[in-house]
Amino acid sequence: AEAGPAYVDIDRRPWAAEIAASKDQANTDCLFQEPSVNRASSEASTEATPGASEASVECQFQDGDTTVMLRSLPEGCTRNVLEEIFDQEGFAGRYNFIYVPVSIRAGKPFFYAFINLLTPEDTIDFVRRFNGYAQWPSSRDQVSVCERSSKIQGIDKLIARYRDSPIMHAEVCDEWKPGYYVAGREAPFPAPTKRIRPPRLRRQRGSEGRGAEEAEDSAL
């Protein structure tokens, strides 16, 4: 008999539209070209040019942007690991949001994260530092890529997006939830506006007979 439902992968649909849309960005003059996204390709090192110029950054980032998508992270790169690295690289107190989507079933993070910086100037500095970054403690071969978050921009929209999300449910590990920071320290995430329901499972169809289960969350 099949085991009963368990809390497994949070559906990544909040960013699926962003990932799909970014594939259509064909600006050949822009440094931050969107590589195709899947788990296999994310595990491989992505070639990028470190030390991006401000002109290259502005090719993708718009006035007032503060939310960055950081891609091609090494395996096992959790939110806590990113906090430590960002602070060591001079960004302590310059970000107020970090979210690393995680496979709850596998207990492992995926290979990308979303970071919100305090100011557009901080954002440019961050992209210059972490586009092409390869000084990861666990891997010196993995090269990260920074991109503009086209789906959601700004701390207010990020809070509104996640404060009522099932990812914030009490049964989800705290490290797997989005982190909110004030004055360089992690702070309680703004309170939900309604009752948070736990992640639910659905039977995934058309998966070559595997009958895989994945989380269902129509609110995401």
Side-chain angles (χ1 to χ4, degrees), residues 14 25 31 42 46 70 74 85 87 94 110-111 135 159 164 182 195 198 201-202 206:
Q25 296 175 354
L31 173 66
S42 295
T46 303
L70 184 62
I85 292 174
D87 291 354
R94 301 176 69 183
F110 294 114
F111 303 96
Q135 303 301 310
I159 290 173
D164 297 323
V182 176
R195 178 180 175 272
L201 298 182
R202 68 178 178 183

Side-chain angles (χ1 to χ4, degrees), residues 81-115:
V81 170
L82 289 182
E83 289 174 13
E84 183 175 354
I85 292 174
F86 294 164
D87 291 354
Q88 290 175 351
E89 294 292 343
F91 289 90
R94 301 176 69 183
Y95 58 86
N96 53 17
F97 179 94
I98 302 175
Y99 178 41
V100 182
V102 171
S103 168
I104 297 178
R105 175 171 49 193
K108 296 180 179 181
F110 294 114
F111 303 96
Y112 61 95
F114 294 90
I115 302 94

Side-chain angles (χ1 to χ4, degrees), residues 6-211:
Y7 296 121
V8 297
D9 295 13
I10 295 294
D11 194 348
R12 290 179 287 166
R13 278 177 290 177
W15 309 103
E18 174 170 332
I19 293 172
S22 63
K23 292 181 180 179
D24 297 330
Q25 296 175 354
N27 184 350
T28 57
D29 295 327
C30 184
L31 173 66
F32 306 113
Q33 289 299 301
E34 171 76 7
S36 59
V37 176
N38 53 51
R39 293 188 187 182
S41 63
S42 295
E43 293 177 9
S45 297
T46 303
E47 185 175 353
T49 304
S53 67
E54 184 173 349
S56 296
V57 173
E58 291 179 352
C59 179
Q60 185 174 96
F61 286 79
Q62 302 173 7
D63 289 345
D65 282 348
T66 56
T67 307
V68 177
M69 184 179 187
L70 184 62
R71 297 261 294 276
S72 194
L73 298 176
E75 185 173 359
C77 191
T78 65
R79 174 164 63 86
N80 289 349
V81 170
L82 289 182
E83 289 174 13
E84 183 175 354
I85 292 174
F86 294 164
D87 291 354
Q88 290 175 351
E89 294 292 343
F91 289 90
R94 301 176 69 183
Y95 58 86
N96 53 17
F97 179 94
I98 302 175
Y99 178 41
V100 182
V102 171
S103 168
I104 297 178
R105 175 171 49 193
K108 296 180 179 181
F110 294 114
F111 303 96
Y112 61 95
F114 294 90
I115 302 94
N116 192 75
L117 287 302
L118 296 186
T119 69
E121 292 75 22
D122 290 331
T123 304
I124 290 176
D125 290 344
F126 182 91
V127 172
R128 286 175 173 173
R129 184 68 187 104
F130 286 100
N131 189 67
Y133 187 81
Q135 303 301 310
W136 307 105
S138 60
S139 173
R140 297 303 174 94
D141 297 325
Q142 197 78 10
V143 181
S144 62
V145 177
C146 285
E147 299 169 354
R148 176 182 184 269
S149 173
S150 59
K151 182 68 174 178
I152 299 179
Q153 274 293 329
I155 189 61
D156 292 340
K157 291 184 178 179
L158 289 165
I159 290 173
R161 186 69 186 77
Y162 286 103
R163 69 194 312 170
D164 297 323
S165 169
I167 192 65
M168 303 302 294
H169 191 270
E171 295 188 20
V172 176
C173 175
D174 284 344
E175 188 178 4
W176 298 345
K177 299 176 181 179
Y180 178 65
Y181 307 85
V182 176
R185 296 179 179 273
E186 187 174 359
F189 206 86
T193 63
K194 60 183 180 182
R195 178 180 175 272
I196 296 178
R197 60 181 175 82
R200 294 181 298 166
L201 298 182
R202 68 178 178 183
R203 179 68 61 181
Q204 183 179 4
R205 297 179 180 178
S207 56
E208 300 178 353
R210 291 188 296 254

